[in-house]
Amino acid sequence: MKITLKVWRQKNKDTKGAFKTYQVDHASPDMSFLEMIDVLNTDLIKKGEESIAFDHDCREGICGMCSLYINGHPHGPLQTTTCQLHMRTFKDGETITVEPWRANAFPVIKDLVVDRSAFDRIQQAGGYVNVNTGGVPDANMIPISKKIADEAFDAATCIGCGACVAACKNASAMLFVSAKVSQFALLPQGQVERKERAEKMIAQMDAEGFGSCTNTYACEAECPKGIKVANIARMNREYFGAMLSSYEVSSGGGGE
Amino acid sequence: MKLDSKIPEGPLAEKWSKHKFNLKLVNPANKRKYEVIVVGTGLAGASAAASLGELGYNVKAFCFQDSPRRAHSIAAQGGINAAKNYQNDGDSVYRLFYDTIKGGDYRAREANVHRLAESSVSIIDQCVAQGVPFAREYGGLLANRSFGGAQVSRTFYARGQTGQQLLLGAYSALNRQIANGKVQMYNRTEMLDVVIVDGKARGIITRDLLTGKIESHSAHAVLLCTGGYGNVFYLSTNAKGSNVTAAWRAHKRGAFFGNPCFTQIHPTCIPVSGDHQSKLTLMSESLRNDGRVWVPKKAMPGLKGIDAVKVPESERDYFLERKYPSFGNLVPRDVASRNAKIVCDEGRGVGSGLAVFLDFTDAIKRVGEDTIRAKYGNLFDMYAQITGENPYKGPMMIYPAVHYTMGGLWVDYNLMTNVPGLYALGEANFSDHGANRLGASALMQGLADGYFVIPYTVGDYLANIGWADKVGTDHPAFKEAIQSSEDRMNKLVNIKGKKTVDEFHRQLGLTMWEYCGMSRSEQGLKKAKQIIQDIKKEFWTNVNVLGTTTELNQELEKANRVADFIELGELMVDDALARAESCGGHFREESQTPEGEALRKDDEFAFVSAWEFKGENQPEELHKEELRFENVKLTQRSYK
């Protein structure tokens, strides 16, 4: 296969970037998209040109590190991660445009590499159950209906890649945040801190500069793990519930 | 130097409880005076960092990825073993211990493995409390399945994404400690060296992958939770970034490397499709429960799945069923892998020649396509996505791939290397799987080490040295280590040779696969040693790393890692040469039964090999830790 690639090149976060055009003359339909870029990078190094920087790690669709915006879609035309996209999806002779994720909250570091640390900070704001190691009840102490467990699992499969943000015209992170809020709102283990969690994670999401949700559902359409927008509705409900009731305790309990 | 495994005295089942009581404790008010470094944020690293932070220690955690959540534990599919006996089918801590020792072909320590089985029970409780959504029955209780030929159902799972869910659980606990200020997290930061002063580990040297800045961090103890070294084979099921650098640099600073030749090769991976291949993808071995493995009796080069249906039964060789009538397609991983290699070496491989069929036709006839789809739908989809072929219309093609490394840094019962203050957890140590790891045991070990072993054992070390026993980063040893790391980076970008890093890595991988892979011989290993030495020489004079050391430079990162893989490769070959027996994942052609099966030699080789670095280009010294079996009787495996 012969492919023409238009790739975003940017030296570092402080310099201006631009598209550069490359020819890949010996792509094979069996290559993954990232392997095609590996081949291009080898060609570039042989010519004395610096290789294209891009994030990737597991190359089996689960780590969430790969993040290419291909022909106007995060992770390209299929609903997969970039590493699970194969060249057989494209036509011989096609021109393919490759960009980094575009969002204010995901600044470009170099070429196709962006900074997604905002996602970590949102999780640190409340994406956990406050339990220490040890001293927990037996795993079968609290039965959980299969339906609820399965629904929580579906939300928990989010890989944190950021395709939802890249797909959204508002660069909203609602799908990502709601997946974690939903997982814990559904499970009994998450009940105790349910309200604070929704409030804190949403506050951090706003502080990071992500946009608002206007229900275009572009996030769901592009999510490689099929996370549903129903999670966003659930998060909104959690948030309103949290705002309507005061959970703050006026003074520390006991011990005085 | 004598290796002291520090295995506690007393009956097997009481060793860990007694040992925990005998360990010194750090006063709660003094914990905040200690600093601990954790390198790697997979199951072992994230669980250790979170648990130590909860106890009150000040933790610095490091990962080379952009987020701790991306560590490669995330990719584990199958499940996690635990001796809960929720199914009332006869499981117990002792049975899990026994299966793990036997599965490891009697090359692991009894005491460590028993502790692992004991801890397994608490792991499941902990994960559920964190909100890990394990699979459940309709009654609301946890579901189990039997895995990897085990006779009891003790595997807990979260669809085919158990590793992901467990890692995200540990990641959430880690995030909580980051938010509490007890863990300071360094993303996109790679460890380059460990600093040892007066014989104790005192800190590490790191490189900020975004700016290239080389920095030093001091601490009272250093925990390496940096995973395995399967990428020495270039192609493996590991993530592209998985590397041996942290463990290898520790080794070169004095930590012994245990059983480096013990690697696990998984039989059900998707075959290589061409020279461009960058990694291999595993499909759960549960597929062998219903799939039948075969190749044509006579070579049919290039035969594809879609045409295989036309090959009459009489011309097919179901070689596993033929050779192992009682276990058939369910023989252990090493046996299935080696036999696939044998038929391909005979020229009977299908597809590219390096593949065998895994055929579901009979299963579909027996239970219907819908049942097969319900059981394996996600795996069939994955296969179709990667290969572009429909596995419902013709058999899948599979071939073995490197999956896990049982070897790693030598540690004692406390998970401490022979360097005081330097620990290794999870896949990075050699500890619990002997010569062969059982399915669903890797996740168990990573979390046992991090949640339930290290919080006790590191406390004992810290209490003994005292919080005042710390060396600052202004010590000359840190300066020397920074200088040597900077020199190395500068050297790599200034060679300006002709070959890319990947070309060297691929060449190393092919050599390891050919001579130190599924089947090893003295002659082949000696040849491999020579080839690897040549690769090393050429690498340091002819590698081409463009760009500078003071920016995000992915070629430089790779070059730095591949240089270490080359040296490790040579040690693996040395270890394989020294172990002139077949055991577990290590098959020595000189040591087989008349029927061509693995022959273990317990009289000569019931030991852990622990290699000591003796200087650049010097032969390493082999130390042997004798393995004593007081509870189990050693038997030869047989699957006939």
Side-chain angles (χ1 to χ4, degrees), chain B residues 119 137 244 286 574:
Chain B
S119 311
E137 306 288 357
V244 77
S286 62
D574 285 339

Side-chain angles (χ1 to χ4, degrees), chain B residues 559-581:
Chain B
N560 180 47
R561 294 166 188 164
V562 169
D564 291 332
F565 275 133
I566 295 171
E567 295 181 3
L568 166 78
E570 190 178 341
L571 182 64
M572 289 170 68
V573 166
D574 285 339
D575 189 43
L577 266 171
R579 192 170 284 277
E581 65 159 346

Side-chain angles (χ1 to χ4, degrees), chain A residues 10-17 108-109:
Chain A
Q10 186 172 335
K11 180 85 184 140
N12 54 47
K13 66 176 170 32
D14 303 318
T15 40
K16 222 176 139 189
V108 174
I109 291 169

Side-chain angles (χ1 to χ4, degrees), chain B residues 294-307:
Chain B
W294 66 276
V295 289
K297 281 185 178 163
K298 284 195 195 112
M300 298 177 75
L303 183 66
K304 290 203 149 201
I306 197 81
D307 302 316

Side-chain angles (χ1 to χ4, degrees), chain B residues 382-436:
Chain B
M382 181 167 88
Y383 183 84
Q385 190 169 37
I386 292 174
T387 63
E389 284 171 24
N390 182 346
Y392 294 101
K393 296 264 179 271
M396 289 181 175
M397 284 192 267
I398 55 168
Y399 201 64
V402 174
H403 178 53
Y404 187 88
T405 52
M406 282 75 73
L409 290 174
W410 183 89
V411 290
D412 64 17
Y413 188 70
N414 296 317
L415 304 182
M416 188 154 81
T417 66
N418 56 304
V419 176
L422 182 67
Y423 293 79
L425 282 66
E427 193 180 350
N429 71 31
F430 87 98
S431 169
D432 294 354
H433 307 295
N436 183 38

Side-chain angles (χ1 to χ4, degrees), chain A residues 60 80 110 120 130 133 138, chain B residues 54 86 171 176 279 385:
Chain A
E60 50 188 285
T80 59
K110 181 179 182 178
D120 279 337
N130 264 299
T133 303
D138 183 273
Chain B
E54 287 162 13
Y86 281 161
Y171 165 75
R176 175 172 167 246
K279 85 151 264 159
Q385 190 169 37

Side-chain angles (χ1 to χ4, degrees), chain B residues 345-376:
Chain B
D345 287 350
E346 289 167 3
R348 295 193 288 145
V350 295
S352 68
L354 290 177
V356 299
F357 287 129
L358 180 64
D359 200 328
F360 291 87
T361 314
D362 286 353
I364 289 174
K365 260 187 223 153
R366 192 173 65 243
V367 297
E369 190 173 313
D370 288 346
T371 310
I372 292 297
R373 195 183 297 275
K375 257 177 149 170
Y376 308 113

